[in-house]
Structures are given as C-alpha cells and as structure tokens.
Amino acid sequence: MNLFRITAEVWNDFLLNIFPAVCINCNTTLVRNEQYICSKCKIALPRTNDYLDPTNRLFQKFAYEPKVKHVSSFLDYNKHGIARKLIHSLKYRGEMDIGLMLGRIYGEDLRKTGKLRPDIIFPVPLHHRKLKKRGYNQSEMIALGLSESLEVEVDTDILIRKTYTSTQTKKSRVSRWENVGNVFEVVSPELLYNKRVMLVDDVLTTGATMGSLASQIAKCDVHEIYLVAMAAGS
Ligand SMILES: [Zn+2]
C-alpha cells in the first residue's frame, strides 16, 4: 500500500467522522464497506424475482417481438419505496456509483441462474446533449455493474440516440409511443449479427423505449435480446 493511498484513506475516515454517510433509505449511519444503503436495507431490497419466471408480466409486454427472450426488472418501483429513492439519487443527484452497485448485485443474481449469457451489453443511450448536461448516463453505470458480474463488455458506440426528447415525461402515453419511433440508430448493424444482446435501462414504465430499441436491434439479425431494468412498477 503506498503512502498516497494511506493518506487518502485517513482523509476519507476524517471526513466521514465529521459528515457520516447515512443510508438513503433509513438514515442510519453507514459503517465501513457499506455504500449508499445499510446492510439491513440491502437485504430487504424489494426484489421482483422476475428473472426466475421466463413468462413474467414484463415479458408479456414484449411478446410481439420474437427475438426478445428475457425481460426482467431487479426491483419493484413503488411510489415511496427504496427503489425510487435509489433511482432518484442515481439520476438526479449525481450519485452515479449507485448504478454500479445495483448493476453488480443484479448481475450476480442473473449470473447464478447460468441461463443468461449475453455477448454484448447496451445501455439505453442518452442524447449527447443530455449526457453533457448530466455528466453520465445512468443506464451505462448500471450496465457497467452488470458487466462486472456477468463478465461481458458494455458497448456505447454501436447504438446511439439521434433525437433529443427532453419533455418525454410530460407527453401522453400515445404520443410517447410515436415519439420513440425514430429516436435511436444502430450505427454498425453488421457487428450484431447472431449476437445475444442485453439492453439495460434504469426504469421500465410503458415499455415504449425498450420496445422500440428491441425492434431496431432485432432487425440486425441478432440471435436473442434480453431486456433488463433496475426497477419497474408493479
Ligand atoms: Zn438502511
């Protein structure tokens, strides 16, 4: 261990003594090796266990796309729950490491099944203007966590977002479906030939974004598509 690292650790401990980090969910002071949430809340995360049921309620949403073989959400996104707090901090408070943490935990769950073996992981891309504004793509952080556990590369060059849709959340459900139609582009479709593609998003709501992307990816003669979200409404 070098001197710089020791100094950094001492400094971090010093800061934590003055401003102790607390659990996002229950506000108890975090101890060493805990990040964002305490061990108690981590164990109590509202897992959907969707991934254990191949024909779950989310999978039904994408039944029209035959290449989609797996759809799952890690957590239940109920209104006042911990999933909402975590995703909110990840998206709007700059806590990008929450994405890594969630991705790693869910990646472990998925790895243990031994059934999902993607060749490539795509985060749902942000438009470059939004990326500049936020500083990072929250779905990419999740994808990187999944990538560590599943030992699969994340790609952010093949799939891009062409259109800037900043007011999407304010639009009605119908116009949202129309809106996502030509938003994304697969830059090098030949690179996806016969590949098992995992597509990662933070929250799955209507399924419009994931559905539109899945259809575009399916056209590239991929082998299979897996849709994975960190949270979905019940
Ligand atoms: Zn807690």
Side-chain angles (χ1 to χ4, degrees), residues 25-41:
N25 194 48
C26 70
N27 280 323
T28 55
T29 305
L30 296 179
V31 296
R32 211 180 246 279
N33 297 327
E34 286 179 345
Q35 205 188 7
Y36 300 113
I37 50 172
C38 69
S39 305
K40 217 170 154 185
C41 290

Side-chain angles (χ1 to χ4, degrees), residues 103-123:
R104 280 184 194 133
I105 302 172
Y106 196 40
E108 275 304 307
D109 285 357
L110 296 175
R111 191 182 58 79
K112 281 180 200 152
T113 67
K115 287 177 184 164
L116 278 194
R117 296 180 192 280
D119 301 303
I120 193 163
I121 303 179
F122 288 140

Side-chain angles (χ1 to χ4, degrees), residues 48-75 106 110 115-125 139 142-143 146 150 159 177 184 195-218 222-232:
T48 67
N49 290 327
D50 281 339
Y51 72 105
L52 298 172
D53 173 12
T55 58
N56 64 56
R57 74 213 149 86
L58 294 177
F59 180 80
Q60 303 299 336
K61 283 188 181 214
F62 302 92
Y64 60 88
E65 180 47 70
K67 295 269 178 167
V68 173
K69 302 293 183 194
H70 169 102
V71 187
S72 68
S73 163
F74 177 33
L75 303 174
Y106 196 40
L110 296 175
K115 287 177 184 164
L116 278 194
R117 296 180 192 280
D119 301 303
I120 193 163
I121 303 179
F122 288 140
V124 169
S139 297
I142 297 164
L146 285 162
L150 294 168
L159 183 67
W177 273 100
F184 303 99
K195 290 275 176 16
R196 290 165 294 198
V197 177
M198 178 179 277
L199 187 61
V200 178
D201 205 356
D202 50 358
V203 183
L204 203 156
T205 46
T206 62
T209 305
M210 284 283 225
S212 166
L213 272 168
S215 299
Q216 266 176 284
I217 292 168
V222 294
H223 181 54
E224 290 178 346
I225 300 170
Y226 315 133
L227 306 179
V228 170
M230 279 307 100

Side-chain angles (χ1 to χ4, degrees), residues 65-209:
E65 180 47 70
K67 295 269 178 167
V68 173
K69 302 293 183 194
H70 169 102
V71 187
S72 68
S73 163
F74 177 33
L75 303 174
D76 188 349
Y77 192 70
N78 61 42
K79 235 178 173 179
H80 304 289
I82 182 169
R84 195 179 177 85
K85 288 179 192 168
L86 287 168
I87 298 287
H88 189 86
S89 295
L90 166 65
K91 272 177 98 162
Y92 306 113
R93 293 192 178 168
E95 304 283 10
M96 58 201 283
D97 285 350
I98 288 179
L100 270 181
M101 177 186 77
L102 294 176
R104 280 184 194 133
I105 302 172
Y106 196 40
E108 275 304 307
D109 285 357
L110 296 175
R111 191 182 58 79
K112 281 180 200 152
T113 67
K115 287 177 184 164
L116 278 194
R117 296 180 192 280
D119 301 303
I120 193 163
I121 303 179
F122 288 140
V124 169
L126 285 185
H127 190 268
H128 62 88
R129 268 167 66 195
K130 203 165 197 170
L131 189 62
K132 208 170 167 192
K133 212 167 142 194
R134 188 172 290 162
Y136 59 95
N137 175 355
Q138 72 280 1
S139 297
E140 186 181 336
M141 296 311 296
I142 297 164
L144 288 169
L146 285 162
S147 154
E148 272 184 32
S149 300
L150 294 168
E151 298 179 344
V152 179
E153 290 292 310
V154 174
D155 183 280
T156 55
D157 298 322
I158 297 175
L159 183 67
I160 60 158
R161 185 185 285 256
K162 291 187 293 181
T163 322
Y164 189 63
T165 49
S166 60
T167 53
Q168 200 181 56
T169 46
K170 290 174 191 145
K171 289 182 181 164
S172 73
R173 193 174 168 143
V174 177
S175 65
R176 250 196 259 177
W177 273 100
E178 289 164 357
N179 201 28
V180 289
N182 286 308
V183 175
F184 303 99
E185 186 186 346
V186 180
V187 178
S188 314
E190 70 283 357
L191 296 177
L192 297 187
Y193 176 74
N194 214 22
K195 290 275 176 16
R196 290 165 294 198
V197 177
M198 178 179 277
L199 187 61
V200 178
D201 205 356
D202 50 358
V203 183
L204 203 156
T205 46
T206 62
T209 305

